[in-house]
Amino acid sequence: MARIKYYYDTESCRYERIKVSTTDIIVNALGFVALAIILSIGIVFIYIENFESPEEADLRKENEELRLYYDLLSQELETASSMLANLQERDDNVYRVIFGVESIPSEIRSAGVGGSNRYREIIDKGLEREKLIVDNYQKIDQLKKQMYIQTKSYDDIMTLAKDKELLLASLPAIQPVSNKELKRLSSGFGTRIDPILKVKRPHRGVDFSLPKGSPVYATGDGVVKLVRSSFIGYGKQIEVDHGFGYKTKYAHLNEFLVKKGQKVKRGELIAYSGNSGKSTAPHLHYEVHINNKAVDPVHYFYRDLDGGEYEEIIRLASIENQALGSY
């Protein structure tokens, strides 16, 4: 039963019963309901702020796992970038130095992969973690481009290595005759006395004094470009093209053992020495040409001579004497 309330009326000096109108009841009820709603909202807000729902807990856990995997992925990208940087450094400072080629400019290695339009599809989706995703895509694309450049560089290095191997095999790096005691070299490169004209003339090769029929060997890998017989000049001669601008000539031969167009290897028997052409004694005249210019052959006799032997053959070749052939 509702309590009855009274108030003191000063005019009648008596207590009068308080009468509550319907409006007051409605206002009071609405006020109570409003207060209850406010309190409920406050309680819910406090709960939401301090306690998470199962769905929120699952989302939080999922976000934490995604963040962990993102951090791991970022670390892997950094590791891969560091390893690639080491490969780039070795490429520029070791491999390319060995083969005598310039390093790849840094602006080429670190060139970008396009602006934000490249990732417009991701940006347009308005993802919450958009920046993280775009940053990773940029790192991956940059790494892929750098790896592509490095791969192409290694292709170039492999080509250079093969060319270098071929060059080393092609160089005329041995003596064309057996000369272990270094007694066969009779006339060196440079100005020598012509055996017929008896005047000093350019001698574009070296002469090895040999018995007729001595073996003559190819001094480097190559292809026989010329096999010719003549009663004057070089007489019977062979010319081998070694590639890379190198050619060798073997003159005053007695017998050919190769044909034009035939491939030969260093140390392969290609002829026997003789006394053909304008020759005054059995010998082999041997020349080395680089880009069609005659050079001193003794500078290439490094494969079958040690340091002391090389110095001795240089000394013998420097003696100004009479050549054994006239050209």
Side-chain angles (χ1 to χ4, degrees), residues 84 87-88 91 96 104 109 143-159:
L84 180 60
L87 292 176
Q88 291 172 342
D91 184 24
R96 289 182 168 267
I104 298 176
R109 287 194 182 276
L143 188 61
K144 285 164 62 178
K145 181 173 182 181
Q146 291 176 339
M147 289 176 66
Y148 173 77
I149 294 173
Q150 188 58 50
T151 300
K152 297 300 292 182
S153 176
Y154 279 146
D155 289 342
D156 294 340
I157 293 297
M158 287 298 296
T159 301

Side-chain angles (χ1 to χ4, degrees), residues 82-116:
S82 178
M83 292 175 64
L84 180 60
N86 290 333
L87 292 176
Q88 291 172 342
E89 183 178 2
R90 289 184 63 83
D91 184 24
D92 288 338
N93 299 325
V94 179
Y95 305 135
R96 289 182 168 267
V97 171
I98 289 175
F99 293 105
V101 292
E102 295 182 356
S103 59
I104 298 176
S106 58
E107 55 268 21
I108 293 179
R109 287 194 182 276
S110 59
V113 291
S116 59

Side-chain angles (χ1 to χ4, degrees), residues 209-226:
S209 179
L210 298 165
K212 185 177 180 180
S214 297
V216 176
Y217 305 99
T219 54
D221 294 0
V223 178
V224 177
K225 289 297 183 182
L226 177 69

Side-chain angles (χ1 to χ4, degrees), residues 7-8 37 41-43 67 69 85 95 117 149 190 197 200 204 209 216 223 252 262 281 284 287 296 299-300 303 323:
Y7 72 96
Y8 182 74
I37 292 173
I41 292 173
I43 293 171
R67 185 70 192 189
Y69 288 125
Y95 305 135
N117 288 334
I149 294 173
L197 301 177
K200 288 186 176 182
R204 300 199 301 171
S209 179
V216 176
V223 178
H252 306 298
Q262 181 177 333
L284 171 72
E287 295 181 9
D296 193 344
H299 294 314
Y300 293 88
R303 285 293 297 269

Side-chain angles (χ1 to χ4, degrees), residues 40-284:
S40 299
I41 292 173
I43 293 171
V44 171
F45 179 77
I46 293 172
Y47 179 84
I48 291 173
E49 286 295 316
N50 295 276
F51 303 94
E52 56 186 11
S53 66
E55 292 80 6
E56 290 175 330
D58 291 339
L59 288 174
R60 178 183 57 77
K61 184 178 180 181
E62 183 179 349
N63 283 337
E64 289 176 353
E65 290 178 350
L66 290 174
R67 185 70 192 189
L68 174 62
Y69 288 125
Y70 170 80
D71 292 339
L72 292 175
L73 178 60
S74 296
Q75 291 177 9
E76 291 295 326
L77 287 173
E78 291 297 329
T79 301
S81 297
S82 178
M83 292 175 64
L84 180 60
N86 290 333
L87 292 176
Q88 291 172 342
E89 183 178 2
R90 289 184 63 83
D91 184 24
D92 288 338
N93 299 325
V94 179
Y95 305 135
R96 289 182 168 267
V97 171
I98 289 175
F99 293 105
V101 292
E102 295 182 356
S103 59
I104 298 176
S106 58
E107 55 268 21
I108 293 179
R109 287 194 182 276
S110 59
V113 291
S116 59
N117 288 334
R118 184 180 179 87
Y119 311 104
R120 176 59 59 189
E121 184 179 348
I122 298 174
I123 296 174
D124 289 343
K125 290 181 179 180
L127 300 175
E128 185 177 351
R129 301 287 183 176
E130 172 188 299
K131 187 177 185 304
L132 293 179
I133 296 172
V134 171
D135 285 348
N136 262 355
Y137 267 107
Q138 288 176 333
K139 290 179 181 178
I140 292 172
D141 286 343
Q142 183 72 30
L143 188 61
K144 285 164 62 178
K145 181 173 182 181
Q146 291 176 339
M147 289 176 66
Y148 173 77
I149 294 173
Q150 188 58 50
T151 300
K152 297 300 292 182
S153 176
Y154 279 146
D155 289 342
D156 294 340
I157 293 297
M158 287 298 296
T159 301
L160 290 170
K162 291 178 181 178
D163 289 345
K164 195 79 169 182
E165 183 180 0
L166 182 59
L167 171 62
L168 293 175
S170 301
L171 285 175
I174 63 173
Q175 298 179 85
V177 298
S178 178
N179 188 27
K180 294 181 180 179
E181 297 181 359
L182 307 182
K183 295 180 179 180
R184 296 295 185 186
L185 186 64
S186 58
S187 183
F189 179 88
T191 302
R192 294 293 183 269
I193 299 173
D194 188 287
I196 297 177
L197 301 177
K198 302 301 180 181
V199 295
K200 288 186 176 182
R201 297 185 64 186
H203 190 232
R204 300 199 301 171
V206 294
D207 291 341
F208 293 91
S209 179
L210 298 165
K212 185 177 180 180
S214 297
V216 176
Y217 305 99
T219 54
D221 294 0
V223 178
V224 177
K225 289 297 183 182
L226 177 69
V227 177
R228 177 186 294 169
S229 295
S230 175
F231 294 104
I232 60 174
Y234 288 107
K236 289 186 175 181
Q237 62 173 305
I238 292 175
E239 187 176 298
V240 178
D241 187 349
H242 302 276
F244 306 97
Y246 288 91
K247 292 180 181 179
T248 52
K249 183 175 289 189
Y250 313 78
H252 306 298
L253 302 171
N254 182 63
E255 182 182 351
F256 302 127
L257 299 179
V258 292
K259 297 179 181 180
K260 183 179 178 180
Q262 181 177 333
K263 292 182 178 181
V264 295
K265 292 289 186 180
R266 177 185 291 145
E268 182 177 342
L269 181 63
I270 60 173
Y272 291 109
S273 65
N275 192 28
S276 59
K278 290 181 67 175
S279 173
T280 58
H283 75 288
L284 171 72

